[in-house]
Amino acid sequence: MGLFGNREEGGLMDVIRCDEKEYLVHKWTPSGGANSTKKENSIRFGSSLRVKDGELAVFVYQQKDGSMQDYILGPIDETIKTANFPILANIVGSAFGGSSPFQAEIYFVNLSGNIQIKFGIPYFDMYDPRFGDLGIPCSVRGTLTFNLTDYKSFIKLNRLINFELDEFKSQIKDFFIRKAKSVIINIPQDANIPVMQIERKIDEISDMVQAKLKLALEEDFGINLKRLDLSVIELDKEHPHYIQLKKSTADQQTKFAVASTDIGIENLSETTRIQRKEMEMGVEGRNFTVHQLNQQTDVLKTAAENLGGMGNVNLGVGGGLNPIGLMTGMAIGGAMGNQMGGMMNNINKTPPPPPALAFHISLNGQQSGPFDLEQLKQFAQNGQFTINHHVWKDGMAGWELANTVQELINVFPSVPPPPPTI
């Protein structure tokens, strides 16, 4: 790069650009030197400025009211003139007669590059929340990646002059290790992660540490923590505390498994017992009505057999039942029939249809009923109801003999005609 012909006046026309491949902050000088002097900072009006995409050119120059900075974002490739760079109008132009050099420091800042820092945290004690007295030595290794997004904040927090990337990375590394260690130590308690499982939670822990430290790095260094990758979380498996913790954890897991199995067996046994009882109750419930019917049927059967001894009716042909006994028997029989019918209805769960015909019976002034045709047929078969009884049903004008009522013809048993004489 050529120097100004007169070193007191400044250099020749320059191309202001950054050719560094890996950098975060680069200071431009006409001669490529690193010192900041009046001669090195002399920039002639008419020089060209080239700022690549993803780069920022920062012009730092002195004003009457103090230092001032102008920011020019790439991509741009222009000649420095007042018309092209109105932002520099106060230092370019008539004050130097259009040809005299002006004084400014120019820094290029890399906005597109990602800077990686490998770090390692030496062994430190980590405590399981269940065993607070067993410190397990743990070491962590990984890589953090950052870039610049808020360049004004970065420039405000860091000196651009004599900026050294290695020194800057060392500062970030020391800060990160100190902060990350305090975060990781508390993760078992804060996230309820047992120490014995912490090596398997490496991705989850990476996200936790990144979330905790992202804001701190922005506030202290003006950088954006783009990514954090923990490659290793290593426990000292030879340490006595690790061996003791592993044994205690295994014992707890065994006890828990045994307890769970016992509880499962007890629950299964209790469940089986309840299911069996429910099954038995279900069978009993389903058979209860039938059983009840059988029991009551036996009682009613015995009672019905005793009805025949209550007396015959004297119809003028000699012998017969006592009329009062007959009426009582018929009433009881009717009640028995109704009870039997009700029991059957309870079993079937369907009420019987209403009887089509129902007759009242009268004998010697004693009235009973009403009885349906089936009941009258049973009474007739037992001899308790004959054709000589008077009957009445709804719709009849008065009492009539049973043998005169058309609906009762089939109630009485057929009597064969007398045998032929020889």
Side-chain angles (χ1 to χ4, degrees):
M1 181 70 67
L3 300 177
F4 291 106
N6 186 339
R7 295 184 65 86
E8 296 295 324
E9 296 180 353
L12 300 173
M13 302 304 177
D14 292 301
V15 177
I16 302 171
R17 65 186 183 185
C18 176
D19 294 325
E20 300 293 324
K21 293 182 178 180
E22 295 182 3
Y23 74 99
L24 185 61
V25 177
H26 171 70
K27 183 180 183 300
W28 178 85
T29 56
S31 62
N35 295 326
S36 177
T37 65
K38 181 176 180 181
K39 294 180 180 179
E40 292 292 343
N41 295 331
S42 297
I43 301 171
R44 183 173 295 278
F45 181 69
S47 297
S48 62
L49 175 66
R50 296 176 183 175
V51 184
K52 297 189 289 291
D53 188 18
E55 282 185 340
L56 170 73
V58 183
F59 284 73
V60 183
Y61 52 91
Q62 193 72 27
Q63 284 285 349
K64 291 182 181 180
D65 56 353
S67 297
M68 183 175 178
Q69 298 166 343
D70 286 325
Y71 308 99
I72 300 175
L73 284 168
I76 192 169
D77 187 0
E78 297 287 348
T79 301
I80 297 179
K81 295 180 181 179
T82 302
N84 294 339
F85 294 92
I87 193 171
L88 303 177
N90 52 356
I91 62 170
V92 178
S94 59
F96 299 96
S99 60
S100 300
F102 61 89
Q103 296 294 318
E105 296 178 13
I106 302 177
Y107 296 91
F108 285 86
V109 179
N110 186 355
L111 300 181
S112 62
N114 295 323
I115 308 298
Q116 285 191 341
I117 300 177
K118 293 183 178 181
F119 65 88
I121 305 177
Y123 279 109
F124 58 94
D125 285 345
M126 182 176 292
Y127 294 87
D128 192 291
R130 301 168 300 169
F131 305 93
D133 57 342
L134 296 179
I136 311 300
C138 175
S139 66
V140 180
R141 295 190 298 275
T143 304
L144 65 88
T145 303
F146 71 89
N147 61 0
L148 300 183
T149 53
D150 186 354
Y151 56 83
K152 290 184 179 181
S153 177
F154 170 77
I155 293 172
K156 181 179 180 181
L157 293 169
N158 300 278
R159 287 175 53 86
L160 297 183
I161 189 170
N162 298 326
F163 181 89
E164 292 291 339
L165 179 57
D166 289 341
E167 181 180 350
F168 183 67
K169 290 167 65 174
S170 178
Q171 293 175 3
I172 294 175
K173 182 178 179 179
D174 293 341
F175 176 87
F176 177 83
I177 289 176
R178 184 174 69 256
K179 293 291 185 179
K181 179 179 176 180
S182 65
V183 173
I184 296 173
I185 284 177
N186 293 311
I187 280 179
Q189 181 69 38
D190 296 342
N192 194 27
I193 299 176
V195 170
M196 299 299 295
Q197 298 181 14
I198 203 163
E199 293 175 301
R200 295 183 294 173
K201 302 287 185 178
I202 190 168
D203 291 336
E204 184 178 342
I205 294 173
S206 295
D207 294 339
M208 292 180 187
V209 175
Q210 180 173 344
K212 291 279 188 180
L213 299 187
K214 183 177 177 65
L215 181 60
L217 289 171
E218 289 178 358
E219 292 178 346
D220 286 26
F221 296 95
I223 64 173
N224 171 50
L225 180 56
K226 189 174 182 180
R227 184 178 179 88
L228 173 63
D229 296 298
L230 299 182
S231 58
V232 176
I233 299 179
E234 183 179 17
L235 300 175
D236 184 358
K237 296 180 174 58
E238 302 298 327
H239 196 276
H241 287 179
Y242 177 89
I243 297 172
Q244 184 178 351
L245 178 62
K246 184 176 182 180
K247 183 178 183 301
S248 299
T249 302
D251 290 343
Q252 281 194 350
Q253 291 176 345
T254 300
K255 291 178 181 179
F256 177 78
V258 171
S260 299
T261 303
D262 291 343
I263 293 173
I265 292 174
E266 290 177 2
N267 290 339
L268 177 62
S269 178
E270 181 66 14
T271 301
T272 304
R273 186 187 65 80
I274 292 174
Q275 290 177 346
R276 183 179 301 169
K277 185 64 177 176
E278 288 178 348
M279 183 181 299
E280 292 174 355
M281 292 179 65
V283 172
E284 291 177 359
R286 290 191 294 270
N287 294 334
F288 177 75
T289 306
V290 176
H291 175 71
Q292 186 181 35
L293 176 62
N294 292 335
Q295 294 295 323
Q296 295 185 9
T297 299
D298 292 340
V299 174
L300 295 176
K301 180 179 179 181
T302 302
E305 291 175 350
N306 294 330
L307 291 178
M310 300 184 69
N312 296 317
V313 178
N314 187 350
L315 300 177
V317 293
L321 294 172
N322 186 319
I324 301 301
L326 176 61
M327 292 298 105
T328 302
M330 294 176 66
I332 294 174
M336 292 167 57
N338 289 335
Q339 185 173 357
M340 292 290 290
M343 291 166 59
M344 294 301 295
N345 290 337
N346 288 336
I347 294 177
N348 296 329
K349 302 297 183 181
T350 304
L357 294 173
F359 288 88
H360 292 267
I361 301 174
S362 176
L363 181 64
N364 297 331
Q366 298 295 328
Q367 177 182 331
S368 61
F371 306 107
D372 60 26
L373 295 181
E374 288 299 323
Q375 292 173 314
L376 293 177
K377 190 173 183 179
Q378 291 179 6
F379 297 155
Q381 291 175 352
N382 294 332
Q384 296 170 323
F385 176 56
T386 68
I387 61 176
N388 296 311
H389 284 84
H390 285 82
V391 297
W392 178 87
K393 69 177 180 66
D394 189 22
M396 293 176 59
W399 292 86
E400 298 181 9
L401 286 173
N403 63 345
T404 64
V405 178
Q406 182 66 30
E407 292 89 344
L408 300 178
I409 293 176
N410 295 327
V411 168
F412 301 102
S414 301
V415 179
T421 56
I422 301 175

